[in-house]
C-alpha cells in the first residue's frame, strides 16, 4: 500500500480536484491523507465528502504538514 500525502492551505476547490485525480488511478492499494493548514473550515468540509483522511495542522509549514502526514500513514 502507498500513502498519498497532500499538503494544502486555503484551497478547498483545488483539493477536490486533486483528490478526484487520485481516485481515477487504476492502482487501488493506496490511502489519501490531506494535511490541512487552512485558516477556515472550507477545506475540511470538502474533504469530509471524500474517502480521504483529514488531518488538521495548526502551525508550521509544508514540511511540518507532510511530516505529520507521514506519522499518520
Amino acid at each position: 500500500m502507498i500513502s498519498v500525502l497532500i499538503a494544502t492551505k486555503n484551497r478547498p476547490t483545488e483539493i477536490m480536484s486533486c483528490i478526484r485525480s487520485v481516485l481515477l488511478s487504476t492502482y487501488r492499494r493506496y490511502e489519501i491523507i490531506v494535511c490541512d493548514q487552512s485558516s477556515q473550515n472550507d477545506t475540511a468540509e470538502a474533504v469530509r465528502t471524500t474517502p480521504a483522511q483529514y488531518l488538521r495542522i495548526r502551525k508550521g509549514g509544508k514540511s511540518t504538514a507532510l511530516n505529520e502526514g507521514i506519522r499518520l500513514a
Side-chain angles (χ1 to χ4, degrees):
M1 174 167 352
I2 64 168
S3 299
V4 179
L5 303 178
I6 306 168
T8 189
K9 183 176 181 179
N10 296 324
R11 297 183 178 173
T13 303
E14 292 86 349
I15 195 66
M16 295 305 292
S17 176
C18 184
I19 292 171
R20 278 193 295 274
S21 293
V22 174
L23 293 173
L24 290 174
S25 170
T26 58
Y27 187 79
R28 292 291 170 211
R29 296 199 53 201
Y30 63 85
E31 64 179 347
I32 304 170
I33 302 173
V34 175
C35 306
D36 180 28
Q37 296 181 335
S38 297
S39 56
Q40 298 179 355
N41 290 325
D42 297 353
T43 302
E45 291 171 12
V47 172
R48 285 192 188 105
T49 67
T50 73
Q53 296 180 63
Y54 178 82
L55 181 61
R56 179 65 149 231
I57 309 298
R58 296 291 175 196
K59 60 182 178 177
K62 181 179 179 181
S63 59
T64 299
L66 292 175
N67 284 329
E68 290 298 320
I70 289 169
R71 283 187 192 90
L72 180 61

